[in-house]
Amino acid sequence: MASNFSGSLTQDSDEIKEMYCEECDRHGDGYATAVAFCVECVDYLCVTCLRYHKRQFKTHKIQDHNNMPQDFYFQKCSTHPGQLVKFYCIECNKEACQECKDNDHVNCSDVNHLPTLASDIQKSDELINFSKNMDQLSKDIKDTEKVLNAKSEVIKKQEENATDTCIEHSNKLIATYKQQHQDLIDEFDKKMEETIARLKKERLELLQKVSEKKRKFEEKVRQAETDIKEEVVSTNPNFKKLKSEHLNLVGNLKALTVDIEQAQKLGKNCELFIKLKLAKQMCKHIQVTSDQIQLSYIQRYKLKESDIQPTIQSLEDQTRFFSFDEVRVSAVEKKITFNFDINHEFGSITSLLVLSEHRLLTSNYNRRSLVIFTLEKSKAEYLKETNFNTSPRGITKVSDNKVAVTFPDEEMIRLITFSEEMDVLDTTEIPGHGCCCDIAYSNNHLVVSYYKSFTGSIKILSMSGKIVKSFDRDDNDQNLFTYPQYLTVSPDNSMIYISDSGRNIVTCLTSDGKVKAIYKDDQLKYPQQLAVDEYGSVYVCGHDSNNVHQLSHDLIKVKILIDESHGILGPKSIAYCQHTKRLFVGMYRNCKIKAYNVTLKNKLLNQFQSH
């Protein structure tokens, strides 16, 4: 390295380039070959620029092509990309363009033209001394390489010795460890053989004991199965007799038909007359008997498995494995058929109330009135409208022709008595204790729903308006309601059903305010008025979901009874008539109340009426 370095500095293999005109490059006039150099401006000039330069700067010293600096440095300034590096500051030890010289090195005393400064570099002591230093550095590096190679051999030998020692020691440790483990396994195997012999004996004894227990348990389960089958068979003991009676009716009807037809064919009019009279009496008997068979009650039930943890001990202790659960009528699906429309001019109906099979009372919040309709078999007609100073909201029947009505804007409840012609005979005002929404009559008390600032409550009032009970918090001290709009009570007055529009749920409370059940369904949105029938089925309007849900007495979803396909949109109010088995549905911003007939599926309604 040292012997070749000095020679390499003198071997210039770079391509010889010609200098271009800096003035043309600076002003974007393209490339032009430089033919002269201005010493004062330190600029290379082409023929054209030289001519103009001489005119403008007559005193500047100009060097022609042969005498101008030939060592061209084409590096552009990193700070001023449009300027060539033409100077070098000895003080700052830094290269510079014209702008750098004029701005950054204005106070420097030793800023020189780079080609001029470098003209004698090839023969300078600096280059000669640098070459000597580089030769010595190259020799030192070679010596260092020899030292490193020697040390590498020492390290390699140490690594080999350490690796051999490590492998030898590791093999000894592993062999010792394996032997000790083998000793443990051999000792365990010996104990295992002894234990297996003992366990085999114990297993044989256990098998005998378990086999006897299994036999007894199977006998107990089979006996329970036999008992429940007998109980199932005996649930409807008269059904076979009913079928036999029905067959007798069919035979009697057929015999009567044959006798009449035969008398007609033979032309025996007297005999036909007598047989016809007898046949008419017999047909009446057949009809009565047939109706009785149809009206016969059938016990409906659901077989349930016993609710026990399936462990050996619990199964052995169990004495009853099956149970009957009576299917409440409220859980049986209903079906509806359209009966008629009640057309009116009163806009939205807020609440509906069936006063009797011939009277339908409605509240109209926007018109501040109660509107009464007369009901017939397949139609209804407007009867009367009673107006008030503020808007009525919830309505409930207290007795024949007497109702209780909430007036939330006045925080008041009015007990209103009507005449037979549905004129107002008497009005009694009692305190409403706040924004009273809906109301129901139960056990000589009034059940009222209240709303205030995204919370609500249910209060039980005496008929004079005194608060008897109030329910607003659950057992975890959380709000029971968000917006309890409507409510109703079960037929036996033991349950209160509340539609909470703020939470899209229906809540069932016991008479002492305990939460019995909650109904929430994605297909029930913004629930409104509720109704119950004589069997305990609950009907609730889904205003925003455009449907009516049928629920069981314990708020289990039975079905969506009515939806848009039945002609409803935005159902808000609902009422049920027990006498006519009709369901009335009022809609928001709609001058129509729809009446539907309600029956049980498969014509089973009469089977439950005797229940």
Side-chain angles (χ1 to χ4, degrees):
M1 288 179 63
S3 60
N4 294 331
F5 186 77
S6 300
S8 66
L9 293 176
T10 62
Q11 297 174 2
D12 186 7
S13 61
D14 292 339
E15 176 185 356
I16 298 176
K17 300 177 182 178
E18 64 178 3
M19 188 59 188
Y20 56 84
C21 178
E22 292 181 75
E23 193 70 22
C24 291
D25 179 64
R26 188 178 299 120
H27 296 288
D29 293 335
Y31 179 87
T33 304
V35 298
F37 177 76
C38 177
V39 176
E40 279 78 4
C41 296
V42 198
D43 275 343
Y44 287 94
L45 302 169
C46 65
V47 173
T48 302
C49 292
L50 176 63
R51 184 167 58 249
Y52 286 105
H53 194 82
K54 284 181 177 181
R55 290 178 186 175
Q56 189 173 3
F57 304 105
K58 295 179 179 181
T59 60
H60 284 196
K61 182 180 179 180
I62 302 297
Q63 296 177 341
D64 61 15
H65 185 271
N66 295 324
N67 295 314
M68 70 181 185
Q70 300 296 316
D71 190 2
F72 309 128
Y73 190 61
F74 294 99
Q75 184 69 34
K76 292 292 182 87
C77 179
S78 60
T79 305
H80 309 99
Q83 297 283 337
L84 284 173
V85 175
K86 299 193 292 184
F87 302 97
Y88 192 87
C89 179
I90 300 299
E91 292 183 22
C92 299
N93 196 25
K94 189 175 181 180
E95 59 187 26
C97 67
Q98 185 67 54
E99 287 191 36
C100 291
K101 176 178 179 295
D102 296 341
N103 297 324
D104 299 339
H105 301 279
V106 66
N107 296 320
C108 296
S109 60
D110 198 4
V111 181
N112 300 285
H113 183 226
L114 183 59
T116 303
L117 187 65
S119 60
D120 296 327
I121 190 66
Q122 295 286 352
K123 299 177 181 179
S124 66
D125 293 338
E126 182 180 3
L127 182 60
I128 294 171
N129 291 334
F130 178 76
S131 299
K132 290 179 179 180
N133 290 337
M134 290 299 292
D135 290 341
Q136 183 60 44
L137 182 60
S138 178
K139 180 177 179 300
D140 291 344
I141 289 175
K142 276 193 171 185
D143 293 341
T144 300
E145 182 180 4
K146 293 178 180 179
V147 172
L148 286 176
N149 289 337
K151 291 182 178 181
S152 294
E153 288 297 324
V154 174
I155 291 173
K156 182 179 179 182
K157 188 64 177 177
Q158 289 183 144
E159 289 177 351
E160 290 175 352
N161 293 337
T163 300
D164 294 342
T165 302
C166 183
I167 293 173
E168 181 181 358
H169 187 58
S170 296
N171 290 336
K172 288 180 180 180
L173 290 175
I174 292 172
T176 303
Y177 185 80
K178 287 174 64 177
Q179 184 57 49
Q180 291 181 358
H181 263 215
Q182 187 61 48
D183 293 343
L184 287 174
I185 292 171
D186 292 343
E187 183 180 356
F188 182 84
D189 286 345
K190 182 179 179 181
K191 291 181 179 179
M192 185 177 68
E193 291 175 358
E194 297 172 353
T195 303
I196 289 174
R198 176 175 55 80
L199 289 177
K200 284 183 176 180
K201 181 181 179 182
E202 292 178 1
R203 183 178 184 278
L204 182 59
E205 295 172 353
L206 180 62
L207 283 175
Q208 295 172 349
K209 186 183 296 184
V210 168
S211 178
E212 179 62 19
K213 286 189 174 184
K214 283 172 58 180
R215 183 187 64 78
K216 291 181 178 179
F217 180 73
E218 288 179 4
E219 286 181 357
K220 185 166 62 171
V221 173
R222 295 305 178 194
Q223 184 60 48
E225 181 182 339
T226 301
D227 294 343
I228 202 68
K229 286 179 180 178
E230 292 177 355
E231 193 172 348
V232 167
V233 172
S234 63
T235 302
N236 292 291
N238 296 324
F239 188 69
K240 290 183 179 180
K241 182 180 178 182
L242 293 177
K243 294 187 70 174
S244 177
E245 289 181 4
H246 179 259
L247 290 175
N248 290 335
L249 293 180
V250 173
N252 292 338
L253 185 61
K254 186 175 181 180
L256 285 175
T257 304
V258 171
D259 287 345
I260 297 297
E261 290 177 350
Q262 187 176 6
Q264 283 179 298
K265 288 179 182 179
L266 296 176
K268 297 180 179 181
N269 292 336
C270 292
E271 184 177 343
L272 177 61
F273 179 84
I274 298 300
K275 287 188 176 182
L276 184 59
K277 297 297 182 182
L278 293 174
K280 287 175 67 177
Q281 295 178 4
M282 182 62 72
C283 283
K284 288 182 180 180
H285 172 72
I286 292 174
Q287 183 64 57
V288 170
T289 306
S290 179
D291 290 343
Q292 289 176 345
I293 292 175
Q294 290 188 37
L295 291 172
S296 61
Y297 171 69
I298 295 177
Q299 173 68 54
R300 296 171 65 85
Y301 59 85
K302 183 179 180 180
L303 193 65
K304 287 183 61 178
E305 301 173 3
S306 58
D307 186 17
I308 58 172
Q309 293 294 329
T311 63
I312 292 176
Q313 190 61 49
S314 63
L315 290 172
E316 289 180 351
D317 295 340
Q318 187 71 14
T319 57
R320 186 172 177 83
F321 297 93
F322 307 96
S323 62
F324 271 113
D325 262 9
E326 180 183 353
V327 176
R328 294 282 291 271
V329 187
S330 66
V332 177
E333 288 189 22
K334 307 290 177 63
K335 69 175 184 178
I336 56 106
T337 53
F338 174 72
N339 193 188
F340 58 85
D341 281 333
I342 303 175
N343 296 305
H344 58 85
E345 300 177 354
F346 304 104
S348 299
I349 298 297
T350 309
S351 296
L352 294 176
L353 173 66
V354 175
L355 282 176
S356 68
E357 60 181 303
H358 301 299
R359 293 282 189 272
L360 180 65
L361 178 63
T362 70
S363 69
N364 190 307
Y365 192 85
N366 294 332
R367 287 175 64 99
R368 299 180 177 180
S369 67
L370 296 178
V371 182
I372 303 168
F373 297 90
T374 58
L375 301 174
E376 301 299 336
K377 185 175 182 180
S378 59
K379 66 177 182 178
E381 294 181 355
Y382 163 74
L383 177 62
K384 192 161 294 185
E385 181 178 14
T386 302
N387 295 98
F388 301 89
N389 293 328
T390 60
S391 301
R393 181 71 154 72
I395 49 179
T396 187
K397 180 178 178 180
V398 176
S399 61
D400 291 342
N401 289 355
K402 185 174 183 179
V403 297
V405 185
T406 61
F407 290 82
D409 295 340
E410 296 181 81
E411 298 186 359
M412 181 184 296
I413 298 171
R414 288 184 171 91
L415 302 176
I416 302 173
T417 303
F418 294 98
S419 66
E420 291 296 326
E421 293 76 25
M422 300 308 295
D423 293 317
V424 176
L425 293 179
D426 181 65
T427 300
T428 302
E429 296 180 352
I430 62 174
H433 303 286
C435 185
C436 43
C437 297
D438 200 14
I439 190 168
Y441 178 74
S442 174
N443 290 329
N444 201 33
H445 286 79
L446 298 175
V447 186
V448 186
S449 63
Y450 294 84
Y451 167 73
K452 182 179 180 181
S453 301
F454 302 102
T455 185
S457 63
I458 302 298
K459 298 185 189 300
I460 311 295
L461 308 181
S462 68
M463 296 307 295
S464 62
K466 182 180 178 181
I467 299 177
V468 179
K469 296 178 182 178
S470 181
F471 313 129
D472 60 355
R473 316 285 287 185
D474 60 18
D475 291 338
N476 297 319
D477 199 34
Q478 300 296 314
N479 289 333
L480 276 172
F481 312 104
T482 300
Y483 188 8
Q485 287 214 59
Y486 291 91
L487 58 81
T488 189
V489 296
S490 61
D492 61 0
N493 296 305
S494 63
M495 300 293 174
I496 307 170
Y497 302 103
I498 306 102
S499 62
D500 190 336
S501 302
R503 295 179 179 174
N504 288 326
I505 63 174
V506 177
T507 302
C508 174
L509 296 184
T510 61
S511 56
D512 57 355
K514 300 296 183 183
V515 177
K516 181 72 173 178
I518 293 177
Y519 175 68
K520 183 174 180 61
D521 189 271
D522 291 340
Q523 294 177 292
L524 178 67
K525 298 179 180 178
Y526 206 67
Q528 297 287 289
Q529 192 172 12
L530 311 103
V532 295
D533 63 19
E534 63 271 30
Y535 309 114
S537 297
V538 181
Y539 307 95
V540 56
C541 293
H543 179 276
D544 290 357
S545 50
N546 297 317
N547 51 30
V548 174
H549 289 231
Q550 178 197 344
L551 314 177
S552 67
H553 72 285
D554 51 356
L555 297 190
I556 301 300
K557 182 178 182 180
V558 179
K559 65 183 296 188
I560 294 178
L561 185 65
I562 306 174
D563 58 21
E564 294 177 6
S565 66
H566 298 93
I568 65 169
L569 185 64
K572 185 174 184 64
S573 52
I574 191 169
Y576 176 77
C577 180
Q578 179 176 343
H579 299 286
T580 60
K581 305 295 185 290
R582 282 197 297 229
L583 198 63
F584 299 91
V585 181
M587 293 169 282
Y588 183 60
R589 293 182 179 176
N590 191 305
C591 295
K592 188 177 290 185
I593 300 172
K594 289 194 167 290
Y596 301 94
N597 293 324
V598 181
T599 57
L600 293 179
K601 274 194 170 184
N602 301 323
K603 300 181 180 179
L604 293 176
L605 178 61
N606 290 328
Q607 296 181 4
F608 289 96
Q609 287 180 329
S610 60
H611 177 52

